[in-house]
Amino acid sequence: VAIQREQARRQRPRWMIAVTGAAIAAVIGLGWAALGAMRDAEAAHAARDHALAATATAHQDAEAAHAVADQLARDNQALSERLGSAIQRAEDRQAAREAADASARKRDEQRRAFEAQAAATARAQEQLRQERRKPITISDDCLKNAICTK
């Protein structure tokens, strides 16, 4: 049996041992490369998960910003409407004030015109009164004639 072993040992091809060693080295190298690839894949998955989380956060932030922008637009619209109504009320008040001022000016003008007319009437009546108080002088011709032309 020992002789058969020795004979088999001598008959084993040495190139097969070299190929087997190279295959073992290749297996170890490929295992090492597979381990590195697995680590790279895990890192890529982690990066992808982080990117998805960042994308979800960005979408949430964008939705929140959109909601805030919509609220600001509604607030702006409401303020614009309030400002428009306030301007309209101010214009209405200004128009009413101008109408009241015009009416007051018209009344003042009418009062002054009435006072001027009353003063003119009073002066005319005073003149008539003064004329009536003057002594009447009748000429001698008129005293002697029944019809006087002077």
Side-chain angles (χ1 to χ4, degrees):
V1 175
I3 293 174
Q4 285 177 349
R5 276 190 210 153
E6 182 65 27
Q7 187 179 7
R9 186 181 65 80
R10 286 188 184 177
Q11 287 180 351
R12 277 191 205 150
R14 295 187 197 274
W15 63 269
M16 191 180 278
I17 294 172
V19 170
T20 304
I24 291 172
V27 167
I28 290 172
L30 288 175
W32 186 267
L35 182 64
M38 185 178 71
R39 287 183 185 156
D40 290 343
E42 286 176 358
H45 284 296
R48 187 195 72 162
D49 292 342
H50 180 69
L52 289 175
T55 303
T57 303
H59 283 298
Q60 289 173 351
D61 291 346
E63 289 174 2
H66 186 65
V68 168
D70 288 344
Q71 182 62 36
L72 288 175
R74 285 191 298 273
D75 290 347
N76 187 24
Q77 181 66 27
L79 288 175
S80 295
E81 290 172 1
R82 287 177 55 196
L83 180 63
S85 66
I87 289 172
Q88 185 61 42
R89 285 193 309 269
E91 289 173 351
D92 292 345
R93 288 179 188 152
Q94 181 67 24
R97 191 176 307 123
E98 288 173 357
D101 289 346
S103 176
R105 281 193 301 272
K106 186 176 180 181
R107 281 193 307 269
D108 286 345
E109 289 174 8
Q110 288 174 345
R111 181 183 49 82
R112 281 191 226 118
F114 176 75
E115 288 173 355
Q117 186 179 7
T121 304
R123 280 193 306 271
Q125 287 176 351
E126 184 62 30
Q127 267 184 340
L128 286 174
R129 193 174 330 168
Q130 291 298 329
E131 281 184 28
R132 278 185 259 143
R133 286 188 179 180
K134 285 184 185 176
I136 299 176
T137 54
I138 301 175
S139 67
D140 289 334
D141 292 335
C142 283
L143 283 175
K144 294 180 184 174
N145 288 328
I147 299 177
C148 183
T149 58
K150 288 187 182 178

